[in-house]
Amino acid sequence: MAILIQERAIDRQFAAFICRESGGTSNDLFRLLVSLASRAVGEGNSCLALAECAGQTLSLDGKEIAVPVVDALEALLRTMPTVGWPGQQRPLVLDVCNRLYLYRYWRYEQELARNILHKASSLNEGIDEAILQEGLERLFPGCEGEKSDRQKEAASMALHKQFSVISGGPGTGKTSTVVRILALLLEQNDGRRQKIAMTTPTGKAAARLKASVNDMRPTLACSEEIKAAIPDSVVTIQRLLGALSGSSRFRHSSKNPLPFDTVIVDEASMIALPLMTALVGALKPSARLILLGDKDQLASVEAGAVLGDICSAGEEGSEASLLSGSLIKLEKNYRFQGESGIGEISRAVNAGFDRDALALLKGERLNGIAWQDLPSREELRGLLKEKVLEGYQRYLAAESASVALERFGGFRVLCALRDGPYGVSGLNSTVETILARGCLIDPQSSVYRGRPILVTVNDYAMRLFNGDTGLLFPDPDRGGALMAFFPAPDGGMRSIMPERLPQHETAFAMTIHKSQGSEFKRVVMVLPPADSDVLTRELIYTGITRAKESVEIWAGEDVFCRAVRKKTARHSGLRDALFISNSRS
């Protein structure tokens, strides 16, 4: 039976263009391969692995096409003038592993691998070892002999290396480690002259990192002068690079490098291949780069799984990679200890132990986790009512926008899908109905008091970015008129007239993808009744680890277990490029 290929308009147009540029060929198989290569990027891959489609019968535009074995596909592609070897400037690149790239994405991988390995092989000069060792002992007391606590080792690595990755799940101390790294940097002889930037992929992740730095600052075992010098400005990567309106390019690049000596990047798992390439390429040759992230979370929505590829290439014990000395995984968990169910269930999911995870959720041994069999559409609103009223009434009762925003972070409904009764659209409508019947909101229109809004596009003029979350709330400075309030970079609030907002949506419920970079005290995670391509182990793990105190999963047993067993596989050549580049150096 033929597999139906859902072709996007952009895939169809790109394939038609390449066929015209290939001498006007009408070869259906070639057109199919080009369309699949374009489609692969849209699905988050940086290339098309020919082995994935070889030997299958695919249906495209009503035509059934029998795809031959890989050798035959390679032979066909090599006859086309638009397909080149790596290094040739052709629209498509076919590498030695039979991965078919759009040229731009092949170049991204090669450029990123080259720049990362150059930094990984470079040490920072001028480190005063005596000052560093004294600082490590003072800022990381009681770490000796604790195999699972590797924060001190990570800090030492970050100061010595021009490139370092600190990986670990929620609660393993990534942020507290980096704040201590900042103190260690400033304590060096030239530390006060260091220009340091902290950046994240989204505005909400930036706000979280800024708050964490400010919370930790008073607790550090260092002088008041050093505490005062620790920077707390955190900006998005797009803003750091200087995004140019109406263009995919940035003000800063290798020709106009960023002016910073150290750049710290949080939530690195969310960064797509093109953006990471732009960031690393814009660093000064001598700049230090520190990546923080959880490699087991969902990869970026766009193409690439950069952090996962870097961590895979730098796994300990891998002598073939220069990255092996630039990666440390933090394992000791400080947030989920003892009888915390979130920590135990996240480990079971991450390991792919579906039945163990289900047993934990249905058992009563652990705190903070619960299971609810997925209700029917008719039962959904009734069962959600108590959770929604309990979760949202406190923020709606707040007297100011700042208090309301703080309280709004206490609860969230997370979904796997966007559409349908169990997706974002359906659940937002259900929540609005519950709150309206409880006389907590009055959704006569899209502009009502307490409406949570999630920005879905980047608007550089308004300084609002995809993923930013705000609330519509009365503004006492404008006679009680409803304004959209967002956290400001300085820790305060900024207000925007609702009619000036960029594209946005209601955010009582949000997708797990959109929740990355956020934390909520309590989470209800709702999965759809049927399996879907997006239901994977990484999605479930990411949803669970958004919760700080409790998570409740509403799902069918089979759907949940299949998702936990299904690991995301993104096709990329970055990991190989990191090894190949190393072997040539």
Side-chain angles (χ1 to χ4, degrees):
M1 183 177 178
I3 300 172
L4 179 64
I5 299 299
Q6 299 291 340
E7 190 179 41
R8 302 174 304 168
I10 191 171
D11 306 330
R12 186 180 304 110
Q13 294 299 323
F14 180 71
F17 167 75
I18 293 296
C19 286
R20 288 196 301 270
E21 294 297 306
S22 299
T25 180
S26 58
N27 187 300
D28 287 337
L29 179 57
F30 178 64
R31 184 196 175 287
L32 171 67
L33 292 175
V34 176
S35 178
L36 290 176
S38 174
R39 179 173 176 257
V41 172
E43 292 178 338
N45 305 289
S46 59
C47 58
L48 170 68
L50 295 185
E52 288 294 302
C53 59
Q56 299 184 27
T57 300
L58 305 181
S59 175
L60 180 68
D61 289 342
K63 294 182 179 179
E64 290 194 0
I65 302 172
V67 182
V69 297
V70 170
D71 288 348
L73 294 177
E74 180 188 8
L76 169 65
L77 291 168
R78 293 297 178 204
T79 67
M80 295 296 172
T82 49
V83 181
W85 291 97
Q88 292 182 309
Q89 287 201 348
R90 305 281 178 84
L92 298 167
V93 173
L94 182 63
D95 73 3
V96 295
C97 296
N98 286 315
R99 289 181 289 235
L100 183 62
Y101 286 88
L102 309 190
Y103 175 80
R104 185 158 53 109
Y105 286 88
W106 176 84
R107 181 172 55 80
Y108 285 147
E109 286 190 352
Q110 299 302 310
E111 184 179 329
L112 180 59
R114 182 174 63 253
N115 287 334
I116 284 177
L117 286 172
H118 175 74
K119 287 201 169 293
S121 62
S122 304
L123 297 176
N124 291 303
E125 299 179 356
I127 297 295
D128 188 312
E129 291 296 335
I131 293 175
L132 175 58
Q133 291 306 315
E134 188 277 330
L136 287 169
E137 296 301 322
R138 175 171 25 87
L139 289 164
F140 296 92
C143 291
E144 289 300 325
E146 294 188 26
K147 186 177 179 181
S148 61
D149 191 334
R150 310 183 64 190
Q151 293 184 350
K152 182 192 291 187
E153 187 181 345
S156 178
M157 174 189 70
L159 260 75
H160 285 110
K161 305 275 288 187
Q162 279 195 12
F163 177 75
S164 56
V165 179
I166 303 173
S167 176
T172 53
K174 297 187 297 296
T175 304
S176 62
T177 299
V178 86
V179 175
R180 291 180 172 94
I181 288 171
L182 290 170
L184 291 168
L185 280 169
L186 293 166
E187 287 177 349
Q188 287 290 304
N189 293 321
D190 65 343
R192 301 300 296 275
R193 295 193 296 273
Q194 279 267 323
K195 291 184 178 179
I196 301 171
M198 292 188 288
T199 186
T200 64
T202 66
K204 60 187 174 184
R208 258 190 62 208
L209 180 57
K210 177 184 175 71
S212 297
V213 171
N214 287 329
D215 288 345
M216 274 209 62
R217 188 197 312 268
T219 70
L220 293 176
C222 61
S223 70
E224 293 301 316
E225 184 181 20
I226 294 296
K227 290 179 185 178
I230 292 175
D232 66 354
S233 174
V234 186
V235 298
T236 63
I237 298 172
Q238 289 91 343
R239 186 175 175 189
L240 181 76
L241 290 173
L244 300 173
S245 181
S247 171
S248 60
R249 295 188 297 171
F250 299 96
R251 186 167 61 252
H252 290 288
S253 65
S254 59
K255 296 179 180 177
N256 179 30
L258 291 163
F260 301 104
D261 304 298
T262 295
V263 175
I264 296 168
V265 185
D266 197 13
E267 297 290 352
S269 66
M270 298 172 62
I271 306 175
L273 175 63
L275 187 58
M276 185 69 88
T277 304
L279 174 63
V280 177
L283 299 175
K284 294 193 301 185
S286 60
R288 176 190 286 107
L289 176 63
I290 303 170
L291 301 182
L292 308 174
D294 183 352
K295 69 180 182 64
D296 297 316
Q297 281 189 27
L298 285 165
S300 62
V301 176
E302 299 174 63
V306 177
L307 185 66
D309 285 339
I310 292 172
C311 289
S312 179
E315 286 175 348
E316 293 178 39
S318 177
E319 297 179 359
S321 175
L322 288 171
L323 297 182
S324 59
S326 295
L327 168 68
I328 284 184
K329 182 177 181 181
L330 303 180
E331 296 175 338
K332 183 174 180 178
N333 201 298
Y334 298 89
R335 182 186 304 166
F336 306 130
Q337 295 180 326
E339 295 300 308
S340 167
I342 296 176
E344 195 156 341
I345 187 68
S346 65
R347 286 189 291 272
V349 167
N350 205 13
F353 298 153
D354 56 312
R355 289 296 167 184
D356 291 348
L358 185 62
L360 290 171
L361 285 164
K362 294 185 133 188
E364 298 180 355
R365 178 176 65 85
L366 299 171
N367 299 319
I369 58 174
W371 174 267
Q372 168 68 55
D373 288 323
L374 188 67
S376 67
R377 295 175 61 174
E378 295 73 24
E379 299 171 323
L380 184 60
R381 188 168 67 203
L383 282 175
L384 263 180
K385 179 180 177 181
E386 181 181 350
K387 300 291 180 185
V388 166
L389 292 176
E390 180 185 355
Y392 288 138
Q393 62 185 353
R394 284 191 70 247
Y395 99 81
L396 290 167
E399 295 184 358
S400 69
S402 59
V403 173
L405 263 175
E406 181 182 354
R407 291 179 180 176
F408 185 59
F411 174 74
R412 201 60 43 91
V413 178
L414 299 183
C415 329
L417 305 178
R418 291 198 51 77
D419 300 319
Y422 300 94
V424 167
S425 58
L427 284 169
N428 270 318
S429 177
T430 298
V431 172
E432 281 186 325
T433 300
I434 292 169
L435 295 175
R437 291 184 176 181
C439 299
L440 295 174
I441 62 171
D442 185 18
Q444 300 275 337
S445 69
S446 62
V447 180
Y448 60 86
R449 181 189 185 277
R451 183 192 175 204
I453 49 180
L454 181 72
V455 176
T456 57
V457 296
N458 293 331
D459 188 323
Y460 299 102
M462 296 302 299
R463 292 178 291 124
L464 288 173
F465 300 95
N466 188 4
D468 285 353
T469 303
L471 291 175
L472 295 184
F473 227 74
D475 187 348
D477 295 335
R478 296 175 181 264
L482 285 179
M483 300 288 287
F485 286 88
F486 292 86
D490 62 1
M493 303 287 294
R494 54 187 297 246
S495 62
I496 297 171
M497 297 177 67
E499 55 267 30
R500 298 191 64 197
L501 286 171
Q503 186 176 323
H504 59 280
E505 61 190 22
T506 305
F508 290 114
M510 61 194 304
T511 63
I512 297 169
H513 270 98
K514 289 285 188 182
S515 75
Q516 282 185 274
S518 299
E519 287 182 341
F520 313 103
K521 288 183 180 179
R522 292 172 292 122
V523 163
V524 168
M525 182 163 62
V526 181
L527 302 185
D531 195 14
S532 165
D533 289 342
V534 304
L535 292 177
T536 63
R537 181 183 309 172
E538 291 81 3
L539 185 92
I540 304 299
Y541 171 82
T542 301
I544 289 170
T545 54
R546 297 312 87 207
K548 292 194 290 186
E549 294 180 5
S550 69
V551 60
E552 190 167 316
I553 298 179
W554 293 29
E557 291 186 13
D558 289 345
V559 168
F560 174 79
C561 289
R562 279 199 298 270
V564 173
R565 292 195 301 267
K566 190 195 309 175
K567 189 167 176 61
T568 301
R570 284 201 168 178
H571 297 297
S572 160
L574 179 59
R575 181 181 182 277
D576 288 350
L578 290 167
F579 282 109
I580 292 169
S581 298
N582 180 30
S583 66
R584 291 173 179 170
S585 62

